[in-house]
Amino acid sequence: MRFLIAGLAVAGMTWAASLSRSPVTFNRDVLPILVKNCQGCHSLGHLAPMPFTTYEETRPWAAAIRAVVVNKKMPPWIDEAHPGLFGDQGRLSQAEVDTLARWVEDGAPEGNAPDAKNRRREK
């Protein structure tokens, strides 16, 4: 019985914490991750089959993005001959993975347009 009560208390605290945070949005939270780590391939004329440079291009892929980053399928492994191709280390930090996952869990909202900065990766 004590374990049940403790479990319910932890679940309640987790639920309350999720209510107190603002939702993750594309323009404020997701776009900077995409610019840094994804748009090197996921932009028009590059290797990936779909661009992630705007909300409209990215939103249809939200669930797939969550799946591949949580399962560490993206960004792909790269050899050391191409340093910097996929961002700093070719991997997303756990905080970046968590942000992308929460964006999808929050319903993949766009957010405020002024929050969007650096809409494309600099060449």
Side-chain angles (χ1 to χ4, degrees), residues 31-91:
L31 187 56
I33 295 170
L34 298 179
V35 169
K36 177 184 169 206
N37 298 291
C38 307
Q39 288 182 4
C41 289
H42 286 277
S43 56
L44 291 176
H46 288 91
L47 183 64
M50 74 288 280
F52 294 155
T53 54
T54 67
Y55 177 76
E56 292 77 16
E57 294 167 340
T58 308
R59 175 59 180 94
W61 299 97
I65 290 168
R66 182 190 184 283
V68 298
V69 301
V70 166
N71 292 309
K72 310 274 190 235
K73 302 290 185 194
M74 280 285 162
W77 177 86
I78 57 169
D79 68 31
E80 293 179 11
H82 298 93
L85 183 60
F86 296 103
D88 294 336
Q89 300 292 324
R91 292 282 166 226

Side-chain angles (χ1 to χ4, degrees), residues 21-26 29-30 33-34 59 61-72 92-109:
R21 70 168 175 78
S22 61
V24 174
T25 69
F26 178 82
D29 307 299
V30 173
I33 295 170
L34 298 179
R59 175 59 180 94
W61 299 97
I65 290 168
R66 182 190 184 283
V68 298
V69 301
V70 166
N71 292 309
K72 310 274 190 235
L92 298 172
S93 70
Q94 189 58 51
E96 291 168 329
V97 170
D98 293 344
T99 297
L100 293 169
R102 279 185 300 199
W103 174 59
V104 176
E105 292 159 9
D106 289 347

